[in-house]
Amino acid sequence: TSEVTNETFTVGPLSFHVDAGEILMITGGNGSGKTTLLKVLTTLYFPDKGTIAVDGLPILEEDAQRYREMFSVVFSDFHLFEKLYGFDHPDRVVVDTLLQRMRLEGKTDVIAGRFTNLALSTGQRKRLALLVTLLEDRPIIVLDEWAAEQDPEFRQFFYEELLAELKSRNKTIIAISHDDKYFRCADRVIRLEFGRIVSDMPVARA
């Protein structure tokens, strides 16, 4: 349960949980607080009131950096660095596999811990940002409208294949999405309005 206020927006009060290995999608209109919620959840904004807890243990501000290391995040206003910080010598087989799966082979590469080309389309740059999160191999992946600039074919691959594969590896996925046709690929969908949760529903399986 948490609440945060900045100069222009307040989100909360709200209360919800996320289970390990769950695919949680968050939806809502513009200005409903989706991105702010992610920033609270990842403690980029520490809540003014309430508590964020892991396995029942509250996260204090002095614990925030260690807590953040559980997350790999791609926000909608993400920035790509040429250098892969923390990956001076990434596994070549893993890199090649990810470049192929992200359909970026021949468009960029990783040499000596650096990308050889960042002059890519927005959709391709988002794929590259996701590649970095997969190299980080952290337990929780947070994506802010990641699929918005993807073509229909890759969007389908992302929702129907890649998310399922990550779930099979017990990754927890928290994704802002407006692609209601793919909500069926989630375990739960939370809908926000004016900074509050108005529905938190499990997804019915066929």
Side-chain angles (χ1 to χ4, degrees):
T1 304
S2 61
E3 183 169 358
V4 65
T5 304
N6 61 29
E7 293 181 356
T8 58
F9 195 78
T10 297
V11 61
L14 46 81
S15 180
F16 70 101
H17 71 281
V18 184
D19 293 327
E22 182 176 34
I23 299 175
L24 172 65
M25 292 189 190
I26 300 172
T27 191
N30 292 337
S32 61
K34 302 181 299 298
T35 298
T36 303
L37 173 58
L38 293 189
K39 290 181 177 180
V40 174
L41 184 64
T42 56
T43 67
L44 294 178
Y45 296 159
F46 206 83
D48 298 325
K49 301 176 184 177
T51 303
I52 297 173
V54 176
D55 295 334
L57 299 176
I59 301 299
L60 307 177
E61 286 200 60
E62 55 264 35
D63 303 322
Q65 183 55 44
R66 185 175 57 177
Y67 170 76
R68 290 181 195 125
E69 290 173 0
M70 298 172 61
F71 296 87
S72 286
V73 185
V74 182
F75 284 112
S76 58
D77 57 351
F78 71 101
H79 178 77
L80 271 176
F81 293 96
E82 181 180 302
K83 179 176 171 56
L84 270 172
Y85 290 96
F87 300 101
D88 291 336
H89 302 286
D91 186 291
R92 185 72 250 175
V93 173
V94 172
V95 169
D96 287 344
T97 300
L98 288 174
L99 285 170
Q100 182 178 24
R101 300 211 74 197
M102 296 295 129
R103 298 174 195 173
L104 293 171
E105 69 275 21
K107 296 180 174 62
T108 191
D109 201 349
V110 179
I111 304 295
R114 292 179 177 273
F115 292 118
T116 59
N117 178 34
L118 292 180
L120 304 168
S121 70
T122 301
Q124 290 169 337
R125 287 168 60 83
K126 277 195 169 182
R127 295 181 202 176
L128 200 55
L130 182 56
L131 181 151
V132 174
T133 71
L134 298 180
L135 284 175
E136 287 177 337
D137 198 27
R138 293 179 177 178
I140 306 172
I141 298 172
V142 175
L143 303 171
D144 184 359
E145 299 193 55
W146 184 88
E149 290 84 11
Q150 304 304 322
D151 61 61
E153 183 182 359
F154 197 89
R155 187 175 300 192
Q156 181 178 7
F157 163 75
F158 167 72
Y159 283 112
E160 295 185 351
E161 296 185 40
L162 188 57
L163 290 187
E165 177 185 314
L166 292 171
K167 180 178 174 66
S168 74
R169 293 165 50 192
N170 206 39
K171 299 293 185 185
T172 303
I173 311 295
I174 303 169
I176 291 176
S177 175
H178 294 294
D179 291 323
D180 53 357
K181 69 176 287 187
Y182 291 115
F183 286 175
R184 57 184 169 77
C185 300
D187 296 302
R188 281 166 56 219
V189 176
I190 284 177
R191 183 176 299 275
L192 293 183
E193 289 181 8
F194 304 109
R196 304 281 184 96
I197 294 174
V198 294
S199 67
D200 181 350
M201 299 293 293
V203 174
R205 300 300 182 192

